[in-house]
Amino acid sequence: MFRKVKKRHSSSSSQSSEISTKSKSVDSSLGGLSRSSTVASLDTDSTKSSGHSAASETCAEFRVKYVGAIEKLPFEMSKTLQEPLELINYIDAAQQDGKLPFVPGEEEMVLGVSKYGVKVASMDQCDVLHRHPLYLIMRMLCYDDGLGAGKNLLALKTTDAKQQDCSIWVYQCSSAEQAQAICKVLSASFDCVLTSEKS
């Protein structure tokens, strides 16, 4: 259902697609960092602009596990966590300091992505555990957890409606392909919303 994003030939090793409007833009990049696997990142704070490619998939559900969250960080701190590597290093440090576990709980959850944002619910979907509106998502990032089991972490950096604080939410994906697919669908959701805003 999902295909891996093809890299374009450019002077760098990263592939990027930017969508800009009068007020904001989306920068979705795959690659550019080397850990033990590819890093996929979606930056909704980017000020870059260029053409964009249309994506058809804007809604999907994935089975993930919840690792943990670092909530209500000072909003100013989000400025020091702009780049993917900065966010990865911050999460790594939080795990080493015991603020975040290295491995998630056993319970699987359903992570749904749509043009409204990200919703995390129980497997029977009776309980909504987390809800991240699209306009409050500042960055979505997936990367190898570095533990050697082939698992990928999905990190979501969000803010509140008044932009007074920010939070980092971490989920474990079953594979790099799944993690990148989530980023791809979220990118398509932003594309869809920004395109409808233009028209």
Side-chain angles (χ1 to χ4, degrees):
M1 182 174 176
F2 294 101
R3 293 193 302 272
K4 215 167 183 180
V5 179
K6 295 180 181 177
K7 291 187 178 180
R8 294 177 187 163
H9 294 291
S10 64
S11 57
S12 68
S13 61
S14 65
Q15 176 272 346
S16 64
S17 169
E18 295 87 24
I19 303 89
S20 65
T21 62
K22 293 177 183 176
S23 60
K24 60 185 176 180
S25 62
V26 178
D27 173 13
S28 170
S29 58
L30 176 62
L33 291 175
S34 59
R35 198 175 180 181
S36 50
S37 76
T38 305
V39 171
S41 168
L42 175 66
D43 176 15
T44 65
D45 286 337
S46 172
T47 55
K48 299 174 186 175
S49 65
S50 72
H52 74 279
S53 57
S56 57
E57 296 291 343
T58 58
C59 184
E61 292 183 343
F62 305 88
R63 295 172 77 167
V64 300
K65 292 183 178 180
Y66 178 56
V67 176
I70 305 169
E71 298 185 65
K72 299 192 180 299
L73 295 169
F75 186 76
E76 287 297 312
M77 193 163 186
S78 71
K79 296 177 182 178
T80 67
L81 301 173
Q82 297 280 12
E83 297 301 316
L85 195 56
E86 294 169 343
L87 191 55
I88 291 170
N89 288 339
Y90 186 83
I91 292 169
D92 282 350
Q95 288 177 318
Q96 291 166 16
D97 293 343
K99 296 176 183 176
L100 275 178
F102 282 98
V103 293
E106 289 300 314
E107 184 185 359
E108 281 194 323
M109 301 174 184
V110 177
L111 184 144
V113 183
S114 72
K115 65 180 181 179
Y116 302 107
V118 174
K119 181 178 76 172
V120 182
S122 57
M123 286 300 293
D124 58 11
Q125 304 212 19
C126 290
D127 298 314
V128 175
L129 308 169
H130 310 137
R131 196 184 294 273
H132 309 295
L134 199 66
Y135 74 100
L136 296 181
I137 297 173
M138 302 170 74
R139 179 182 283 280
M140 180 177 265
L141 173 74
C142 66
Y143 63 98
D144 189 281
D145 66 5
L147 299 178
K151 302 292 186 182
N152 273 241
L153 295 182
L154 181 76
L156 215 64
K157 186 174 75 169
T158 64
T159 185
D160 64 325
K162 296 181 180 178
Q163 292 196 338
Q164 293 179 336
D165 55 49
C166 68
S167 300
I168 300 169
W169 308 81
V170 185
Y171 305 91
Q172 187 191 70
C173 302
S174 58
S175 65
E177 289 74 20
Q178 185 197 48
Q180 289 165 12
I182 295 172
C183 282
K184 184 178 177 182
V185 176
L186 187 69
S187 177
S189 298
F190 273 105
D191 289 1
C192 178
V193 170
L194 294 177
T195 302
S196 64
E197 281 182 0
K198 281 185 176 181
S199 57

